[in-house]
Amino acid sequence: MAATAAAKPPAPPVAAGPGDVSEVELSEAGSPDLGSGSGSGGSGRSAAEYSGWVYHIGVNSIGHEYCHLRFLVIRGRTVAMYKRDPHDTPGLEPIRKGAVGHTLMVEELGRRRVNHGDVYVLRLYNRLDQTKKGEIACATPGEARKWIEAFEQAKQQADHDLMRGVTWNRLQNENEINLDGHRPRVRRYAQGLGKLVRIGKGPEMLLRKSSDLRSQERVNTNFGGYTGDAFEAHEWRYVRTFNGIRIFEDIANPKGGKGILLKSVGVVGANPDTVFEVVLNLDKHKRYEWDMLTADLELVETIDGYCDVVYGTYEPKYLNWWKGKNDFVFSRQWFRGQDGAYTILQSPIGHNKRPPKHGYKRTKINPSTWEIRRLNISGSSPKCVVTLMLEISPSFWGRWKRTHSSNFDKSIPFALLSQVAGLREYFAANPALTSDLPSTVVKSKASEPLIIQSELEDSEPDDEFYDALARGESFEDEDSDDDDGATTPKAGKVKLKNVSWALAGLALKKTKALVETSELVTNSSPVTADPSHFHGTLRRAKSENDPNSWSAPGGEKFMIRGKTYLTDYTKVVGGDPLLKLIAVDWFKVDERFDSVALHPKSLVQSEAAKKIPFILVINLQVPAKPNYNLVMYYAAERPVNKDSLLGRFIDGTDAFRDARFKLIPSIVEGYWMVKRAVGTKACLLGKAVTCNYLRQDNFLEIDVDIGSSSVARSIIGLVLGYVTSIVVDLAILIEAKEEKELPEYILGTVRLNRVNPDSAVSI
């Protein structure tokens, strides 16, 4: 395959005094280059190489912050960090080196300002000891996503080697350093580097150099009206077109809100990462080009990496619905899904730093959300579907529909809905922003004399990569020349099928009887698991509207992978769950509560439970004050087939479980902004948050630490504010990745009906 060197950024300016680590002006960075190479670590397995420019950020031994531009290479399970591109400097020694192991976790900390540039930071840590941690950053969300995939591949390689009997010291405590503390200047490599995410406006050259790496990833072709993995309660009806943008009204009964929901939908000629950065950018000169309402914004407060508060003013020159000058304050909260789609929530709030301004009338901006997702069309330039949804007064909307007066065209809701049209035209007029810049470099590695290969493949590395990040940075920065040569590999063909997934589901979904035949030992006598014999602290619902209770719905409202998913990506309607939900516990605790099943008063320790062949315990640990534990108990009435997917999950490695344990959420009833925040997309929990597994006797417990992720904490905080008024459905399943494992089946479901935090039982 053709080889082209990855683009190199120029050396950043140095501003360092005696004893200081030089600081780097954020100017350029790149996403990982993907290539194929030889096996790593003696596994004999074909391994890809990922390489590219990243930022290594931290605090040195005298307490000074640093941000160093580094070239990162991942080959197989080995990782190396260089000051320059080693492909251009044969024989260059890495300044850090090590291996990736299954204990690595990567947490996205969100956006952060470093040296006058906005970056998205990732925290890398050992899940067995979270004091071992470090931080890196990347130029764009797209680059970050590809680095995440690169480290996930390395973790899979490590797990593969472990299963083959290749051993090395994965956790050598004497070599692990607290990445938050002072670090000696020892050059090492660490195990477990996983995700790099850098998002934000950044310098223009950084954006130019950013590259949206395309490894031939499979995508869901259901990009029309259906965008999630669960059915939504909205019923959208087209009502009008403004500036080429369609406007829809939700005509379903608005049980979860007081207003009418409207949305504008348009196709923007750019990738979602770029659109997201433009929407969040506060530069008024750029916003003047597409935003007629909220262009004059200033940052009031940064809550965390995923939430801030902004203040804006508006002088009505075009929307003369207002009589004078107006100002407003609203919060912005954003999330990125595992599928690369973005959600931004905007809500009017008050803030003591921005009281009403003299001469201005304080106005409330309508609660609204942005949803930005890639439109996957093979062979075309990047496009994404942008949706802006907002809540409007029923009386105002009703008057407009009855009279079709022009007042709506001069209102705040109209100005917000028009932002989609403004974005579309903004990108059309700036073609440099619309293309996916090349970053993928496919190289033949047979003759490349990289130090990472010669040093790390000949011997088993003992250091973990977060250890390497912990060691002190060098005090010098070296220049490097630009080399813009880069090639983009041929995009993988995506077969699109314009078929109804509902009809396909009738023929392709696996019935419960077939699932039981493959997953359970059907020639054994079943043990009846009657929920009435088991009593958790949260009671079972007596009726559909019974509050503060649980029930076990069917799987027909969820979409799962069908038999032909690996070829046409078709999803089908889920069937009945394989396991039976027998009880739910709702606890409150001062500290995180692990290993619930081992508690003497646990349902699993009862005599009735010990007779059940297998129990799956899902312990959702909810961070709050106090902390909560939602514990669900699922029973198999027959023994599990050891060779089945479920059997391999139960007795498999933690790495295998992390890569397969999947949850699909769906807010059935509740405030519409909570619905948009939670979404309906399936989530691999092991990749999103820390999951700890306890396998003993006849049960497997999965402790899901929601507090281990900044994003998850932010979302759950929003949900807890409305928890007494929402109905949520959850589906649990094991992701099928091989043809023999398809179609998928639902392991278990639960419906939580308006759960009251005050009813949680102390334990």
Side-chain angles (χ1 to χ4, degrees):
M1 288 180 286
T4 307
K8 298 185 305 178
V14 176
D20 290 346
V21 172
S22 55
E23 295 188 358
V24 177
E25 184 69 20
L26 296 186
S27 57
E28 302 193 43
S31 65
D33 303 324
L34 171 62
S36 60
S38 60
S40 168
S43 69
R45 194 182 187 203
S46 177
E49 176 184 301
Y50 296 77
S51 61
W53 292 99
V54 299
Y55 291 108
H56 177 204
I57 59 180
V59 180
N60 68 2
S61 58
I62 61 174
H64 287 222
E65 294 184 358
Y66 61 81
C67 174
H68 283 182
L69 195 59
R70 295 291 181 248
F71 194 88
L72 197 64
V73 178
I74 305 176
R75 175 176 291 171
R77 60 177 175 83
T78 56
V79 192
M81 181 179 285
Y82 302 83
K83 284 190 175 182
R84 296 187 297 275
D85 186 347
H87 303 104
D88 297 337
T89 312
L92 181 67
E93 293 275 351
I95 60 174
R96 305 170 186 275
K97 59 186 177 182
V100 169
H102 72 283
T103 58
L104 169 76
M105 294 299 295
V106 184
E107 178 185 1
E108 300 181 21
L109 299 181
R111 192 168 59 169
R112 182 189 301 175
R113 180 162 289 266
V114 179
N115 293 344
H116 309 292
D118 288 330
V119 299
Y120 271 67
V121 180
L122 293 178
R123 182 173 74 101
L124 316 172
Y125 65 91
N126 180 350
R127 74 177 182 185
L128 300 182
D129 184 357
Q130 294 192 26
T131 63
K132 310 294 186 349
K133 55 189 176 181
E135 293 180 349
I136 52 178
C138 197
T140 69
E143 292 171 3
R145 183 57 49 186
K146 297 308 173 182
W147 277 115
I148 293 169
E149 294 173 1
F151 283 105
E152 183 60 33
Q153 290 293 325
K155 289 175 66 176
Q156 292 179 12
Q157 178 75 52
D159 188 56
H160 174 77
D161 289 347
L162 186 63
M163 293 178 66
R164 292 181 65 255
V166 179
T167 60
W168 70 93
N169 188 355
R170 293 183 175 228
L171 293 172
Q172 193 173 28
N173 292 330
E174 62 271 23
N175 290 332
E176 295 182 350
I177 303 296
N178 186 336
L179 300 186
D180 285 339
H182 297 164
R183 298 181 287 275
R185 294 177 58 191
V186 179
R187 292 174 178 174
R188 289 242 180 138
Y189 232 59
Q191 186 161 350
L193 183 57
K195 306 182 204 178
L196 313 171
V197 179
R198 141 120 197 175
I199 306 176
K201 57 181 183 181
E204 292 301 321
M205 289 191 67
L206 184 146
L207 293 178
R208 268 205 313 277
K209 288 286 184 183
S210 66
S211 46
D212 187 3
L213 177 113
R214 296 185 188 181
S215 54
Q216 299 174 359
E217 53 185 307
R218 295 192 174 104
V219 292
N220 181 6
T221 59
N222 295 311
F223 59 83
Y226 165 73
T227 60
D229 294 310
F231 294 92
E232 296 187 356
H234 299 296
E235 186 176 355
W236 295 104
R237 181 175 65 187
Y238 165 77
V239 293
R240 191 171 175 181
T241 297
F242 289 119
N243 301 322
I245 299 297
R246 294 174 298 159
I247 307 296
F248 294 83
E249 174 190 2
D250 182 13
I251 61 174
N253 293 326
K255 296 180 180 180
K258 299 179 181 179
I260 300 296
L261 294 185
L262 302 178
K263 72 175 181 179
S264 57
V265 183
V267 175
V268 175
N271 64 63
D273 304 325
T274 306
V275 176
F276 170 74
E277 292 183 21
V278 168
V279 172
L280 280 194
N281 199 330
L282 297 181
D283 185 344
K284 67 178 182 180
H285 299 293
K286 292 181 179 179
R287 296 189 74 94
Y288 281 165
E289 297 189 46
W290 64 272
D291 186 356
M292 66 183 299
L293 178 65
T294 60
D296 286 300
L297 294 179
E298 60 182 85
L299 183 65
V300 176
E301 181 183 5
T302 297
I303 306 300
D304 55 33
Y306 296 91
C307 183
D308 62 18
V309 178
V310 295
Y311 168 81
T313 59
Y314 182 80
E315 297 184 16
K317 298 177 181 178
Y318 308 103
L319 300 180
N320 54 20
W321 179 253
W322 301 323
K323 301 299 182 181
K325 298 179 181 180
N326 292 260
D327 66 353
F328 43 81
V329 180
F330 63 92
S331 65
R332 306 186 301 176
Q333 197 171 8
W334 54 88
F335 317 101
R336 176 187 170 106
Q338 289 183 335
D339 60 346
Y342 292 95
T343 300
I344 306 172
L345 311 180
Q346 300 179 158
S347 302
I349 63 170
H351 199 283
N352 54 13
K353 290 184 179 180
R354 283 294 184 273
K357 189 176 181 180
H358 178 70
Y360 285 78
K361 179 183 178 182
R362 179 56 53 90
T363 302
K364 283 191 175 182
I365 298 292
N366 295 68
S368 60
T369 65
W370 290 91
E371 295 177 9
I372 308 165
R373 59 183 175 86
R374 182 179 291 274
L375 186 60
N376 295 293
I377 302 178
S378 180
S380 67
S381 58
K383 291 183 174 64
C384 64
V385 177
V386 178
T387 302
L388 191 142
M389 191 179 304
L390 59 81
E391 186 176 358
I392 191 173
S393 165
S395 59
F396 179 78
W397 182 242
R399 288 196 305 271
W400 178 83
K401 287 202 300 182
R402 287 194 302 270
T403 63
H404 283 275
S405 67
S406 59
N407 287 341
F408 181 70
D409 300 354
K410 302 173 182 177
S411 64
I412 292 179
F414 171 77
L416 290 171
L417 293 170
S418 296
Q419 288 177 326
V420 176
L423 273 178
R424 183 194 61 193
E425 297 304 314
Y426 172 72
F427 281 102
N430 294 274
L433 298 174
T434 61
S435 61
D436 279 348
L437 300 179
S439 72
T440 302
V441 177
V442 181
K443 303 181 179 182
S444 173
K445 303 299 174 190
S447 61
E448 289 189 2
L450 293 188
I451 298 299
I452 182 176
Q453 185 174 7
S454 61
E455 288 196 358
L456 295 183
E457 292 182 4
D458 293 340
S459 62
E460 298 296 347
D462 290 332
D463 288 335
E464 299 187 2
F465 193 68
Y466 36 72
D467 284 334
L469 289 179
R471 314 305 179 184
E473 274 281 5
S474 171
F475 285 86
E476 61 254 359
D477 288 283
E478 304 177 25
D479 297 337
S480 54
D481 300 325
D482 281 338
D483 182 357
D484 293 328
T487 58
T488 303
K490 186 175 181 180
K493 294 182 178 180
V494 180
K495 185 176 180 183
L496 302 182
K497 286 202 169 185
N498 187 18
V499 218
S500 167
W501 39 261
L503 293 177
L506 297 178
L508 298 179
K509 74 178 181 182
K510 189 184 290 186
T511 64
K512 184 176 180 180
L514 290 176
V515 173
E516 289 181 344
T517 300
S518 62
E519 301 296 308
L520 305 179
V521 180
T522 54
N523 58 5
S524 63
S525 300
V527 176
T528 302
D530 188 348
S532 63
H533 296 164
F534 301 92
H535 303 285
T537 56
L538 189 66
R539 60 187 179 83
R540 190 177 186 184
K542 298 178 180 179
S543 64
E544 182 179 349
N545 297 319
D546 191 8
N548 200 36
S549 63
W550 65 269
S551 59
E556 64 277 359
K557 291 187 177 181
F558 298 96
M559 300 298 297
I560 59 179
R561 295 181 175 186
K563 182 64 177 175
T564 59
Y565 181 82
L566 296 182
T567 56
D568 59 17
Y569 320 118
T570 297
K571 290 190 175 182
V572 299
V573 178
D576 293 330
L578 174 66
L579 305 182
K580 180 183 291 185
L581 180 61
I582 56 175
V584 176
D585 275 327
W586 181 227
F587 297 132
K588 59 182 175 182
V589 292
D590 293 330
E591 298 180 355
R592 200 179 74 192
F593 184 20
D594 293 325
S595 305
V596 174
L598 297 182
H599 193 279
K601 295 183 179 180
S602 169
L603 176 151
V604 178
Q605 300 300 323
S606 67
E607 291 302 319
K610 291 179 180 179
K611 297 177 182 178
I612 297 176
F614 174 72
I615 299 176
L616 177 63
V617 182
I618 306 296
N619 177 19
L620 299 181
Q621 300 168 329
V622 181
K625 293 182 180 180
N627 296 311
Y628 297 97
N629 285 66
L630 181 69
V631 189
M632 296 162 286
Y633 305 87
Y634 295 92
E637 297 182 322
R638 286 186 169 91
V640 176
N641 182 350
K642 297 294 185 181
D643 297 326
S644 67
L645 178 59
L646 177 57
R648 289 186 288 130
F649 179 84
I650 293 171
D651 295 315
T653 64
D654 287 355
F656 179 81
R657 294 163 175 161
D658 283 345
R660 297 299 190 100
F661 181 40
K662 188 160 69 174
L663 179 142
I664 305 175
S666 175
I667 304 293
V668 180
E669 295 181 19
Y671 183 46
W672 69 275
M673 290 193 76
V674 178
K675 289 184 179 182
R676 307 324 299 177
V678 173
T680 57
K681 291 294 293 182
C683 173
L684 286 171
L685 286 181
K687 291 185 177 181
V689 297
T690 300
C691 293
N692 297 309
Y693 304 90
L694 174 64
R695 175 72 172 106
Q696 286 190 19
D697 303 326
N698 68 330
F699 70 88
L700 170 66
E701 178 176 332
I702 306 177
D703 297 328
V704 182
D705 182 9
I706 298 176
S708 64
S709 164
S710 300
V711 177
R713 283 198 305 269
S714 182
I715 294 176
I716 203 68
L718 178 65
V719 171
L720 285 175
Y722 295 88
V723 67
T724 58
S725 62
I726 64 174
V727 178
V728 58
D729 284 357
L730 302 176
I732 297 165
L733 57 157
I734 305 171
E735 182 167 87
K737 294 186 176 181
E738 301 176 12
E739 186 173 357
K740 65 180 180 181
E741 299 169 349
L742 292 170
E744 285 182 335
Y745 62 87
I746 293 178
L747 207 53
T749 63
V750 64
R751 170 168 290 183
L752 303 169
N753 193 346
R754 300 174 178 85
V755 175
N756 188 348
D758 294 336
S759 68
V761 176
S762 297
I763 188 170

Coordinates of all heavy atoms in Angstrom, one line a residue, residues 707-758:
G707 N -20.6 7.5 38.1 CA -19.8 8.7 38.5 C -18.4 8.7 37.9 O -17.6 9.7 38.0
S708 N -17.9 7.6 37.3 CA -16.6 7.5 36.7 C -16.5 8.3 35.4 O -15.4 8.5 34.9 CB -16.2 6.1 36.4 OG -17.0 5.5 35.5
S709 N -17.6 8.8 34.8 CA -17.6 9.5 33.6 C -18.2 10.9 33.8 O -19.3 11.0 34.4 CB -18.3 8.8 32.5 OG -18.7 9.7 31.4
S710 N -17.5 12.0 33.4 CA -18.0 13.3 33.5 C -19.3 13.5 32.7 O -20.2 14.1 33.2 CB -17.0 14.3 33.0 OG -15.8 14.2 33.7
V711 N -19.3 12.9 31.6 CA -20.6 13.0 30.7 C -21.7 12.3 31.4 O -22.8 12.9 31.5 CB -20.3 12.4 29.3 CG1 -21.6 12.4 28.5 CG2 -19.2 13.1 28.6
A712 N -21.5 11.1 31.9 CA -22.6 10.3 32.6 C -23.0 11.1 33.8 O -24.2 11.1 34.1 CB -22.1 8.9 32.9
R713 N -22.1 11.6 34.6 CA -22.5 12.4 35.8 C -23.4 13.6 35.4 O -24.4 13.9 36.1 CB -21.3 12.9 36.5 CG -20.5 11.9 37.3 CD -19.6 12.5 38.3 NE -18.7 13.4 37.7 CZ -17.5 13.1 37.3 NH1 -17.0 11.9 37.4 NH2 -16.7 14.0 36.8
S714 N -23.0 14.2 34.3 CA -23.8 15.4 33.9 C -25.2 15.0 33.5 O -26.2 15.7 33.9 CB -23.1 16.1 32.7 OG -23.8 17.3 32.4
I715 N -25.3 13.9 32.7 CA -26.7 13.5 32.3 C -27.5 13.0 33.5 O -28.7 13.3 33.6 CB -26.5 12.4 31.2 CG1 -25.9 13.0 29.9 CG2 -27.9 11.8 30.9 CD1 -25.6 11.9 28.9
I716 N -26.9 12.2 34.3 CA -27.7 11.6 35.4 C -28.1 12.8 36.4 O -29.2 12.7 37.0 CB -26.9 10.5 36.2 CG1 -27.8 9.6 36.9 CG2 -25.9 11.1 37.1 CD1 -28.7 8.8 36.1
G717 N -27.3 13.8 36.5 CA -27.7 14.9 37.3 C -28.9 15.6 36.8 O -29.8 16.0 37.5
L718 N -29.0 15.7 35.4 CA -30.2 16.3 34.8 C -31.4 15.4 35.1 O -32.5 15.9 35.4 CB -30.0 16.5 33.3 CG -31.1 17.0 32.5 CD1 -31.5 18.4 32.9 CD2 -30.8 17.0 31.0
V719 N -31.2 14.1 34.9 CA -32.3 13.1 35.1 C -32.9 13.2 36.5 O -34.1 13.1 36.7 CB -31.9 11.7 34.7 CG1 -32.9 10.7 35.1 CG2 -31.6 11.6 33.2
L720 N -32.0 13.2 37.5 CA -32.4 13.2 38.9 C -33.3 14.4 39.2 O -34.1 14.3 40.1 CB -31.2 13.2 39.8 CG -30.5 11.8 39.9 CD1 -29.2 12.0 40.8 CD2 -31.4 10.8 40.5
G721 N -33.1 15.5 38.5 CA -33.9 16.7 38.7 C -35.4 16.5 38.3 O -36.3 17.2 38.8
Y722 N -35.6 15.5 37.5 CA -37.0 15.2 37.0 C -37.4 13.8 37.2 O -38.5 13.4 36.7 CB -37.0 15.5 35.4 CG -36.8 16.9 35.0 CD1 -35.5 17.4 34.8 CD2 -37.9 17.8 34.9 CE1 -35.3 18.7 34.4 CE2 -37.6 19.1 34.5 CZ -36.3 19.5 34.2 OH -36.1 20.8 33.9
V723 N -36.7 13.1 38.1 CA -36.9 11.6 38.2 C -38.3 11.3 38.6 O -38.9 10.2 38.3 CB -35.8 11.0 39.1 CG1 -36.0 11.5 40.5 CG2 -35.8 9.5 39.0
T724 N -38.9 12.1 39.5 CA -40.2 11.8 40.0 C -41.3 12.0 38.9 O -42.5 11.7 39.2 CB -40.6 12.6 41.2 OG1 -40.5 14.0 40.9 CG2 -39.6 12.3 42.4
S725 N -41.0 12.5 37.8 CA -42.0 12.7 36.8 C -41.7 12.0 35.4 O -42.4 12.3 34.4 CB -42.1 14.2 36.5 OG -40.9 14.8 36.0
I726 N -40.7 11.1 35.5 CA -40.4 10.4 34.2 C -40.6 8.9 34.3 O -40.5 8.4 35.4 CB -38.9 10.7 33.8 CG1 -37.9 10.1 34.8 CG2 -38.7 12.2 33.6 CD1 -36.5 10.3 34.3
V727 N -40.9 8.3 33.2 CA -41.0 6.9 33.1 C -39.9 6.5 32.1 O -39.8 6.9 31.0 CB -42.3 6.4 32.5 CG1 -42.4 4.9 32.4 CG2 -43.4 6.9 33.4
V728 N -38.9 5.6 32.6 CA -37.8 5.2 31.7 C -37.8 3.7 31.5 O -38.0 2.9 32.5 CB -36.5 5.7 32.4 CG1 -36.3 5.2 33.8 CG2 -35.3 5.4 31.5
D729 N -37.5 3.3 30.3 CA -37.3 1.9 30.0 C -35.8 1.7 29.7 O -35.2 2.5 29.0 CB -38.1 1.5 28.7 CG -39.6 1.3 29.0 OD1 -40.0 1.5 30.2 OD2 -40.4 1.1 28.0
L730 N -35.3 0.5 30.2 CA -33.9 0.2 29.9 C -33.9 -1.3 29.3 O -34.7 -2.1 29.8 CB -33.1 0.2 31.2 CG -33.0 1.5 31.9 CD1 -32.2 1.3 33.2 CD2 -32.3 2.6 31.1
A731 N -33.1 -1.5 28.3 CA -32.9 -2.8 27.8 C -31.4 -3.2 27.9 O -30.6 -2.4 27.6 CB -33.3 -2.9 26.3
I732 N -31.1 -4.4 28.4 CA -29.8 -4.9 28.6 C -29.5 -6.0 27.6 O -30.3 -6.9 27.4 CB -29.6 -5.3 30.0 CG1 -29.8 -4.1 31.0 CG2 -28.2 -5.9 30.2 CD1 -29.9 -4.6 32.4
L733 N -28.4 -5.9 26.9 CA -28.1 -7.0 26.0 C -26.5 -7.1 25.8 O -25.8 -6.3 26.3 CB -28.7 -6.7 24.6 CG -28.4 -5.5 23.9 CD1 -28.7 -5.7 22.4 CD2 -29.3 -4.3 24.4
I734 N -26.1 -8.2 25.2 CA -24.7 -8.5 24.9 C -24.6 -8.2 23.4 O -25.2 -8.8 22.6 CB -24.3 -9.9 25.2 CG1 -24.6 -10.2 26.7 CG2 -22.8 -10.1 25.0 CD1 -24.5 -11.7 27.1
E735 N -23.7 -7.3 23.1 CA -23.5 -6.9 21.6 C -23.0 -8.1 20.8 O -22.0 -8.7 21.2 CB -22.6 -5.7 21.5 CG -22.4 -5.3 20.1 CD -21.8 -3.9 19.9 OE1 -20.5 -3.9 19.9 OE2 -22.5 -2.9 19.9
A736 N -23.6 -8.3 19.7 CA -23.2 -9.4 18.8 C -22.2 -8.8 17.7 O -22.6 -7.8 17.1 CB -24.4 -10.0 18.1
K737 N -21.0 -9.4 17.6 CA -20.1 -8.8 16.7 C -19.7 -9.8 15.6 O -18.9 -9.5 14.7 CB -18.8 -8.4 17.4 CG -19.1 -7.2 18.4 CD -17.8 -6.7 19.0 CE -18.0 -5.5 19.8 NZ -16.8 -4.9 20.4
E738 N -20.1 -11.0 15.7 CA -19.8 -12.1 14.7 C -21.1 -12.6 14.1 O -22.1 -12.6 14.8 CB -19.0 -13.2 15.4 CG -17.6 -12.7 16.0 CD -16.9 -13.8 16.7 OE1 -17.3 -15.0 16.5 OE2 -15.9 -13.5 17.4
E739 N -21.0 -13.2 12.9 CA -22.2 -13.6 12.2 C -22.9 -14.7 13.0 O -24.1 -14.8 13.1 CB -21.8 -14.1 10.8 CG -23.0 -14.5 10.0 CD -22.6 -14.8 8.5 OE1 -21.4 -14.7 8.2 OE2 -23.5 -15.2 7.8
K740 N -22.1 -15.6 13.6 CA -22.8 -16.7 14.4 C -23.5 -16.2 15.6 O -24.4 -16.9 16.2 CB -21.7 -17.7 14.8 CG -20.7 -17.2 15.8 CD -19.7 -18.3 16.1 CE -18.6 -17.8 17.1 NZ -17.6 -18.8 17.5
E741 N -23.2 -15.0 16.0 CA -23.9 -14.4 17.2 C -25.2 -13.7 16.9 O -25.9 -13.3 17.8 CB -23.0 -13.5 18.0 CG -21.7 -14.2 18.5 CD -20.6 -13.2 19.0 OE1 -20.8 -12.0 18.7 OE2 -19.7 -13.6 19.6
L742 N -25.4 -13.4 15.6 CA -26.6 -12.7 15.1 C -27.8 -13.6 14.9 O -27.6 -14.8 14.6 CB -26.2 -11.9 13.9 CG -25.2 -10.8 14.1 CD1 -24.8 -10.3 12.7 CD2 -25.8 -9.6 14.9
P743 N -29.0 -13.1 15.0 CA -29.4 -11.8 15.4 C -29.2 -11.6 16.9 O -29.1 -12.6 17.7 CB -30.8 -11.7 15.0 CG -31.3 -13.1 15.1 CD -30.2 -13.9 14.6
E744 N -29.1 -10.4 17.4 CA -29.0 -10.1 18.8 C -30.3 -10.5 19.5 O -31.4 -10.6 18.9 CB -28.7 -8.6 19.1 CG -27.3 -8.2 18.8 CD -27.0 -6.7 19.1 OE1 -28.0 -5.9 19.1 OE2 -25.9 -6.4 19.3
Y745 N -30.3 -10.6 20.8 CA -31.5 -10.8 21.6 C -31.3 -9.9 22.8 O -30.3 -9.5 23.2 CB -31.6 -12.2 22.0 CG -30.5 -12.8 22.8 CD1 -30.5 -12.7 24.2 CD2 -29.4 -13.4 22.2 CE1 -29.4 -13.1 25.0 CE2 -28.3 -13.9 23.0 CZ -28.4 -13.7 24.4 OH -27.3 -14.2 25.1
I746 N -32.5 -9.6 23.4 CA -32.5 -8.8 24.6 C -32.4 -9.6 25.8 O -33.1 -10.6 26.0 CB -33.8 -7.9 24.7 CG1 -33.8 -6.9 23.5 CG2 -33.9 -7.2 26.0 CD1 -35.0 -6.1 23.5
L747 N -31.4 -9.3 26.7 CA -31.1 -10.1 27.9 C -32.2 -9.8 28.9 O -32.7 -10.7 29.6 CB -29.7 -9.7 28.4 CG -29.0 -10.8 29.2 CD1 -28.9 -12.1 28.5 CD2 -27.6 -10.2 29.6
G748 N -32.5 -8.5 29.2 CA -33.5 -8.2 30.1 C -34.0 -6.8 30.0 O -33.3 -5.9 29.4
T749 N -35.1 -6.4 30.5 CA -35.7 -5.1 30.4 C -36.2 -4.7 31.8 O -36.4 -5.5 32.7 CB -36.8 -5.0 29.4 OG1 -37.9 -5.8 29.9 CG2 -36.4 -5.4 28.0
V750 N -36.3 -3.4 32.0 CA -37.0 -2.8 33.2 C -37.6 -1.5 32.9 O -37.1 -0.8 32.0 CB -36.0 -2.7 34.4 CG1 -34.9 -1.6 34.0 CG2 -36.7 -2.3 35.7
R751 N -38.8 -1.3 33.4 CA -39.4 0.1 33.4 C -39.5 0.6 34.8 O -40.0 0.0 35.7 CB -40.8 0.0 32.8 CG -41.6 1.3 32.9 CD -42.9 1.3 32.1 NE -42.6 1.3 30.7 CZ -43.5 1.4 29.7 NH1 -44.8 1.4 30.1 NH2 -43.2 1.4 28.5
L752 N -38.9 1.8 34.9 CA -38.9 2.6 36.2 C -39.9 3.7 36.1 O -39.7 4.6 35.3 CB -37.5 3.1 36.5 CG -36.4 2.0 36.5 CD1 -35.0 2.6 36.6 CD2 -36.6 1.1 37.7
N753 N -41.0 3.6 36.9 CA -42.1 4.5 36.8 C -42.0 5.6 37.9 O -42.3 5.3 39.1 CB -43.4 3.7 36.9 CG -44.6 4.6 36.5 OD1 -44.5 5.8 36.4 ND2 -45.7 3.9 36.2
R754 N -41.6 6.8 37.6 CA -41.6 7.9 38.5 C -41.0 7.6 39.9 O -41.7 7.7 40.9 CB -43.0 8.5 38.7 CG -43.6 9.0 37.3 CD -45.1 9.4 37.5 NE -45.6 9.9 36.2 CZ -46.1 9.1 35.2 NH1 -46.1 7.8 35.4 NH2 -46.5 9.6 34.1
V755 N -39.8 7.2 39.9 CA -39.1 6.7 41.1 C -38.8 7.9 42.0 O -38.4 9.0 41.6 CB -37.8 6.0 40.8 CG1 -37.0 5.6 42.0 CG2 -38.1 4.7 40.0
N756 N -39.1 7.8 43.3 CA -38.9 8.8 44.3 C -37.6 8.6 45.0 O -37.5 7.6 45.7 CB -40.1 8.8 45.2 CG -40.1 10.0 46.2 OD1 -39.1 10.8 46.3 ND2 -41.2 10.3 46.9
P757 N -36.7 9.5 44.9 CA -35.4 9.4 45.7 C -35.6 9.2 47.2 O -34.8 8.5 47.8 CB -34.6 10.6 45.3 CG -35.2 11.1 44.0 CD -36.6 10.7 44.1
D758 N -36.6 9.8 47.7 CA -36.8 9.8 49.2 C -37.2 8.4 49.6 O -37.2 8.1 50.8 CB -37.9 10.8 49.6 CG -37.5 12.2 49.4 OD1 -36.3 12.5 49.3 OD2 -38.4 13.1 49.2

